[in-house]
Amino acid sequence: MRITQRAVAQTALQGLNRNLAEVGRLNQQLTSGKLVSKPSDSPTGVNRAMQIRQDQAATVQYARNVSDAQGRLETTDSALGTVIEQVRRVQTLTLRAANEGAMSESSRTAIATEMRSIRESLIGVANTTIDGQPVFGGVTTGALAYDPDGTYAGLGGTGTVPVVPQMRRISADEEVRVDVTGPEAFGDPAGGDLFALVASIADDVVGDTDALPGHIASLDGAMDRLLTAISGVGARATRIETAAQVNTDRQLQLKGQLAGVEDIDLPKTIMELNMVQTSYQAALSATAKIIQPTLVDFLA
């Protein structure tokens, strides 16, 4: 088989082009810092990177849900804490009015006035909102959980309308409730809630002191209900804090996995580039000696 000068030149040129393409590939990797710039570079790597990015998008959404849940539960916890302090004040005033038989009429009137003021304050706290939505209103789209007269304007938690919990997904397999309805915290309006109870106590302080001992027992029940509600909020907040830490750790893990798939090993890539460039220069030199450009050089 006769090997022509043309065949030698074409073979040498193909080899040089392959070396030059490798130099270009390594230069591109150094410039971008990425092993994969297009699917053909590594189909397996691209598929893996897409899966990791999907997981990253999910963890980012879970982080948003966690943040929203934390905000709602913190607001709810603060509101319930304020209500508990005010109910304790109502208990103190009720005990004073029930046990001090010689209390003057003006003193009883002052206690009743303070209790009515506390009731208004309680309704205000019960209408606490976050992002324009009342935290104790259930799934209602209204702006208030309670009307100024103490009527429940929210949705869910009453005897006729069951609770529809507001849930937030905080991981792939975990959801947490982020709300407490007004009836759950303050009692079912149909049976007399906290606001109706405080109003009755304010009336009976000056009108029927014999009814006050029964109100004291009712206040104890209302306090137990509030403490149960705030305990539940605290337990859920703890779960969410744990989920937030797990989510943060997961994001770091995914970032590391993606870097392992896409990012170059800088020292290794620089070494490979130097070797390929040296090989290319050597190939150029050898090709220049092998391929004779003129007939005169070939005959010399």
Side-chain angles (χ1 to χ4, degrees):
M1 178 179 178
R2 180 171 176 270
I3 300 176
T4 65
Q5 187 70 14
R6 179 182 178 85
V8 172
Q10 288 181 337
T11 301
L13 184 59
Q14 289 173 355
L16 288 174
N17 285 337
R18 283 195 296 269
N19 282 350
L20 187 59
E22 184 67 10
V23 171
R25 183 183 69 83
L26 291 171
N27 271 319
Q28 192 277 332
Q29 288 182 358
L30 282 175
T31 302
S32 66
K34 301 296 182 181
L35 283 171
V36 179
S37 60
K38 55 184 181 297
S40 60
D41 289 340
S42 175
T44 302
V46 169
N47 181 62
R48 177 61 178 150
M50 291 177 62
Q51 290 177 342
I52 294 173
R53 290 186 188 280
Q54 279 186 331
D55 291 341
Q56 284 182 320
T59 58
V60 169
Q61 183 58 57
Y62 296 147
R64 293 194 193 100
N65 294 348
V66 164
S67 179
D68 178 67
Q70 286 177 322
R72 289 179 179 275
L73 290 178
E74 286 172 3
T75 301
T76 303
D77 182 81
S78 177
L80 288 173
T82 300
V83 170
I84 287 171
E85 289 302 316
Q86 292 180 328
V87 171
R88 285 180 177 144
R89 177 59 179 169
V90 172
Q91 286 178 314
T92 300
L93 293 173
T94 305
L95 286 170
R96 183 186 302 171
N99 294 330
E100 296 183 13
M103 183 178 292
S104 65
E105 192 67 25
S106 60
S107 296
R108 292 186 178 278
T109 300
I111 289 176
T113 300
E114 182 177 353
M115 284 192 175
R116 292 189 181 97
S117 177
I118 291 174
R119 179 179 179 275
E120 292 178 1
S121 177
L122 288 171
I123 293 174
V125 175
N127 282 322
T128 298
T129 62
I130 183 169
D131 297 332
Q133 183 181 23
V135 296
F136 297 108
V139 295
T140 182
T141 57
L144 296 176
Y146 287 88
D147 292 331
D149 63 357
T151 302
Y152 184 54
L155 182 64
T158 63
T160 56
V161 182
V163 173
V164 180
Q166 298 186 50
M167 308 297 291
R168 295 293 182 274
R169 181 166 292 280
I170 57 175
S171 69
D173 54 2
E174 185 177 12
E175 286 185 321
V176 174
R177 184 182 176 191
V178 297
D179 74 317
V180 175
T181 64
E184 288 178 297
F186 312 121
D188 191 337
D193 57 16
L194 176 62
F195 313 113
L197 175 60
V198 175
S200 296
I201 294 173
D203 291 339
D204 290 338
V205 164
V206 293
D208 184 9
T209 56
D210 292 337
L212 294 179
H215 291 322
I216 292 172
S218 297
L219 282 173
D220 289 340
M223 180 63 77
D224 289 341
R225 184 167 49 247
L226 288 167
L227 292 174
T228 298
I230 200 170
S231 296
V233 168
R236 281 178 262 162
T238 300
R239 284 179 61 193
I240 290 174
E241 287 177 5
T242 301
Q245 184 59 53
V246 171
N247 185 272
T248 299
D249 294 342
R250 177 63 174 160
Q251 289 187 51
L252 291 174
Q253 291 172 356
L254 291 172
K255 184 177 180 181
Q257 291 175 11
L258 186 62
V261 172
E262 290 187 337
D263 292 357
I264 63 171
D265 183 337
L266 186 59
K268 179 182 176 182
T269 304
I270 292 174
M271 291 279 296
E272 289 180 352
L273 178 60
N274 288 334
M275 293 173 62
V276 171
Q277 285 177 330
T278 300
S279 176
Y280 180 62
Q281 294 296 329
L284 283 174
S285 177
T287 301
K289 294 178 181 179
I290 294 172
I291 299 177
Q292 302 297 330
T294 69
L295 182 59
V296 175
D297 290 334
F298 178 78
L299 294 173

